[in-house]
Each structure stands twice: as structure tokens, then as C-alpha cells.
């Protein structure tokens, strides 16, 4: 509706967002819920309040955490408030199923589910029956559910590009059942540029995009074209050697008796991002991850450089992997 669009633009200007952020800052779920439900009563659409207020506020608290202004505990508390708000919006708007049935799931290993819940409520408010399977859904469980229910489409959420290998496996499993996948989330790259490379039929950048794509779901009636083959199988080799390389990096960088988990976790994330970049044939994926890590680590930048060098040492016989790692290293 036209009024909803105008209200959404007003929300994005900061008035409603600022008020909502105040409630998040105070960890005030009752106040945040009252604010959002009042907006609905004033004629704002579900997309207006969830996309233009809640989602915008969540991006801001993520920015504050990354900049060091908020602790992890503050970010988690604020996210929990937003989860309660989204649930309240769902209860207010009710359920409808006139346009078909879609299943929404987060990629296995992906525990950031708030954005997917927002998509679920916006899609539901547009007239679809939505089954949200939650965070970190194993492919076999998803496929079993698809066989049982026969939905029109799967909406697959991926926040972290390092999960693209798993996303590709889930999409392949969905395609085998004949159900098309609409991808969504920053894990598929800006503009969804990596979605086709892992076999998705379409990709939307927002909950509104998901609704628009589903409205044209006749064009997604088949599972779409298969994912193009990767240039080689180096991503498979990286995954097979992941544990060995992580152990080698940890031994080289962590003194005996010290806590090795942070270094091991960081090395594993580098290797997952590297494998994903090799799969889609785009070193920019790894570069984006490394730039994000440099911002998050701040003065511990040198640790990341040492981890990248250690991964390169462990993968010395894989030329494309080495080239990608050198591109994002300190001299890249």
C-alpha cells in the first residue's frame, strides 16, 4: 500500500528506530512491544515495522558491537528483546494460507535466526502459510519435511558466507525433491551474487523481496538450473584437510598450556570462508571475511595475519587456495 511505503520511509528516517533503540538499550521488551504494536494500530504494515524499524535497529546494534561500543552480552540481550517483539507481531497478525505454503530454514550451522523470523512474519502477513523450521537445520531433516509436506518453495537464510558450502548442499538436496529455493541473507553476497553459484532459483535481499519473488513463484515452479560446476575441486581438498591445518596453525601459534580455542576457531573460520570462495570462484568472499575479522580484532590484526600464513603453509600444494590467501594477506 502507498501509505505503508511512506510510513516505512518515515521509520527509516530515525524517529521510530531511535525510540525502538532506546528500548533495546534499556532491555525493555514490554516497551519495545508496545511501540511496535502501536505502529501497527496506526496503520503501519508488518513489513514497515519489522523491516524498517526492527531490522534497522538490529543492524545498528551489530554496528555498535563491532565498533566496541556494546558488549556481546548487550547485543544478545537486545536481540532477545527483538525476538519477543517479532513473536508479538506474529500473534497480532494471525495466520493465513491462501497463496500457498513455503518452508523457511536457516543453513545448518547458522544460529542467527532473527532475520529469518522477520522474513517469516512478513511473508505470512502477505498471505502465505509459512513453516519456520528454525536455526541450523540439518539437510536430511529439511528434505524429510519437504517429502512429507510438498511446499511450493523453500526460503533459505544464510548470514555468514563461510556457510555457503553447507548452503550449497542444502539447496542440492531441495532440488532433488523438485522444490525451488529462494535464498536470502548476507551470506549469499551483496545482491545475492553467490546464490546462483550454489544452485538457488532466486535470491532476495530483504523480506519484501522474498514476498515479491514468491508472488511470481510460477517462474520458480521448477528447481531451476543446476549450480555451475566449480573450476576445480580445491574446495573439497580444503575441507578434507581442515582439521589437520587447524591443528598445525594452533601448534605453531599457541604456547604450550595456553588456551588454543580462539586460534583454532579463527583458523577454522578462515578455512570455511576459503572453501566457500573456492566453490563460487570468487576471492572477494574470503576478502570480505578477512576485512570483517580485521575490524573485529582491532589491535590483534597480526594474529589474523599469522593464521592466514599458517593456513597457506598447510595448503602449500593447492595453488588456487594459496593465491586466494595471498590476495587477502598483509601484502595482498
Amino acid at each position: 500500500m502507498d501509505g505503508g511505503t511512506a510510513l516505512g520511509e518515515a521509520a527509516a528516517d530515525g524517529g521510530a528506530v531511535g525510540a525502538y533503540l532506546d528500548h533495546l538499550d534499556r532491555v525493555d521488551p514490554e516497551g519495545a512491544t508496545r511501540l511496535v504494536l502501536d505502529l501497527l494500530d496506526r496503520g503501519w504494515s508488518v513489513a514497515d515495522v519489522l523491516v524498517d524499524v526492527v531490522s534497522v535497529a538490529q543492524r545498528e546494534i551489530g554496528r555498535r558491537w563491532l565498533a566496541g561500543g556494546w558488549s556481546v552480552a548487550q547485543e544478545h540481550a537486545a536481540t532477545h528483546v527483538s525476538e519477543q517483539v517479532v513473536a508479538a507481531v506474529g500473534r497480532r497478525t494471525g495466520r493465513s494460507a491462501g497463496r500457498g505454503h513455503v518452508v523457511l530454514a536457516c543453513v545448518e550451522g547458522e544460529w542467527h535466526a532473527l532475520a529469518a523470523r522477520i522474513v517469516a512474519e512478513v511473508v505470512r502477513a502477505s498471505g502465505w502459510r509459512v513453516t519456520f523450521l528454525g536455526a541450523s537445520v540439518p539437510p536430511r531433516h529439511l528434505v524429510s519435511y519437504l517429502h512429507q509436506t510438498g511446499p511450493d518453495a523453500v526460503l533459505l537464510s544464510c548470514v555468514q558466507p563461510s556457510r555457503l558450502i553447507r548452503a550449497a548442499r542444502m539447496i542440492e538436496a531441495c532440488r532433488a525433491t523438485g522444490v525451488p529455493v529462494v535464498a536470502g541473507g548476507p551470506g549469499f553476497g551483496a545482491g545475492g551474487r553467490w546464490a546462483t553459484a550454489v544452485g538457488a532459483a532466486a535470491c532476495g535481499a530483504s523480506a519484501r523481496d522474498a514476498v515479491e519473488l514468491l508472488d511470481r513463484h510460477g517462474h520458480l515452479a521448477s528447481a531451476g538450473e543446476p549450480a555451475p560446476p566449480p573450476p576445480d575441486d580445491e574446495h573439497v581438498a580444503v575441507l578434507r584437510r581442515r582439521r589437520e591445518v587447524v591443528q598445525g596453525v594452533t601448534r605453531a601459534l599457541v604456547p604450550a598450556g595456553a588456551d588454543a580455542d580462539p586460534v583454532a576457531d579463527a583458523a577454522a573460520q578462515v578455512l570455511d570462508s576459503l572453501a566457500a570462495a573456492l566453490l563460487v570462484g570468487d576471492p572477494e568472499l574470503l576478502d570480505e571475511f578477512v576485512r570483517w575479522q580485521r575490524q573485529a580484532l582491532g589491535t590483534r590484526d597480526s594474529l589474523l595475519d599469522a593464521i592466514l600464513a599458517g593456513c597457506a603453509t598447510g595448503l602449500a600444494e593447492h595453488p588456487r587456495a594459496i593465491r586466494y590467501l595471498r590476495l587477502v594477506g598483509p601484502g595482498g
Side-chain angles (χ1 to χ4, degrees):
M1 66 178 184
D2 293 340
T5 301
L7 287 165
E9 290 173 354
D13 285 341
V17 174
Y20 186 78
L21 278 167
D22 286 342
H23 290 298
L24 295 186
D25 198 19
R26 297 195 302 270
V27 193
D28 176 15
E30 292 81 10
T33 301
R34 282 196 303 270
L35 184 153
V36 165
L37 295 183
D38 179 61
L39 294 177
L40 289 174
D41 290 339
R42 288 163 50 193
W44 292 37
S45 71
V46 170
D48 289 334
V49 297
L50 293 185
V51 176
D52 297 325
V53 178
V54 177
S55 292
V56 171
Q58 284 299 127
R59 287 196 294 272
E60 171 60 18
I61 66 170
R63 186 198 65 77
R64 292 179 183 181
W65 168 78
L66 192 59
W70 275 33
S71 68
V72 172
Q74 286 176 296
E75 186 272 335
H76 284 186
T79 298
H80 183 57
V81 171
S82 288
E83 289 171 345
Q84 295 177 70
V85 168
V86 174
V89 171
R91 290 190 295 271
R92 169 67 65 88
T93 55
R95 301 291 181 264
S96 58
R99 304 172 84 172
H101 178 209
V102 296
V103 170
L104 193 153
C106 297
V107 170
E108 184 179 24
E110 181 58 76
W111 295 99
H112 298 83
L114 178 58
R117 292 190 64 188
I118 288 172
V119 171
E121 294 305 334
V122 172
V123 170
R124 183 178 287 117
S126 74
W128 290 82
R129 179 162 68 95
V130 180
T131 302
F132 180 41
L133 300 184
S136 189
V137 179
R140 66 184 183 281
H141 293 170
L142 174 59
V143 169
S144 175
Y145 191 81
L146 298 184
H147 281 301
Q148 293 169 16
T149 60
D152 297 284
V154 169
L155 302 178
L156 186 65
S157 173
C158 181
V159 175
Q160 302 175 36
S162 59
R163 305 293 185 193
L164 271 183
I165 296 283
R166 296 182 182 187
R169 292 170 181 162
M170 293 184 76
I171 292 171
E172 182 181 5
C174 293
R175 284 174 41 80
T177 71
V179 180
V181 176
V182 176
F188 291 102
R193 67 184 187 272
W194 300 315
T196 335
V198 293
C203 188
S206 71
R208 289 190 178 99
D209 291 338
V211 172
E212 182 181 351
L213 289 166
L214 288 170
D215 285 347
R216 298 184 281 119
H217 72 285
H219 298 293
L220 303 173
S222 69
E225 295 297 320
D232 50 47
D233 63 353
E234 281 203 23
H235 68 287
V236 177
V238 169
L239 292 174
R240 284 176 177 166
R241 300 198 56 197
R242 182 177 183 270
R243 181 177 179 181
E244 172 192 343
V245 174
V246 168
Q247 290 175 340
V249 170
T250 304
R251 283 194 300 268
L253 297 180
V254 180
D259 182 9
D261 286 347
V263 170
D265 290 344
Q269 289 185 56
V270 166
L271 292 170
D272 287 343
S273 299
L274 172 61
L278 293 168
L279 173 66
V280 301
D282 187 358
E284 180 65 19
L285 188 156
L286 179 62
D287 185 56
E288 285 187 7
F289 168 78
V290 169
R291 281 189 278 116
W292 179 82
Q293 280 289 84
R294 289 194 191 284
Q295 187 176 359
L297 289 171
T299 56
R300 298 174 65 217
D301 224 17
S302 58
L303 174 61
L304 181 58
D305 289 337
I307 290 171
L308 291 168
C311 289
T313 299
L315 298 169
E317 68 272 33
H318 301 293
R320 198 156 64 95
I322 294 299
R323 180 165 62 86
Y324 281 23
L325 287 167
R326 286 176 177 166
L327 283 171
V328 302

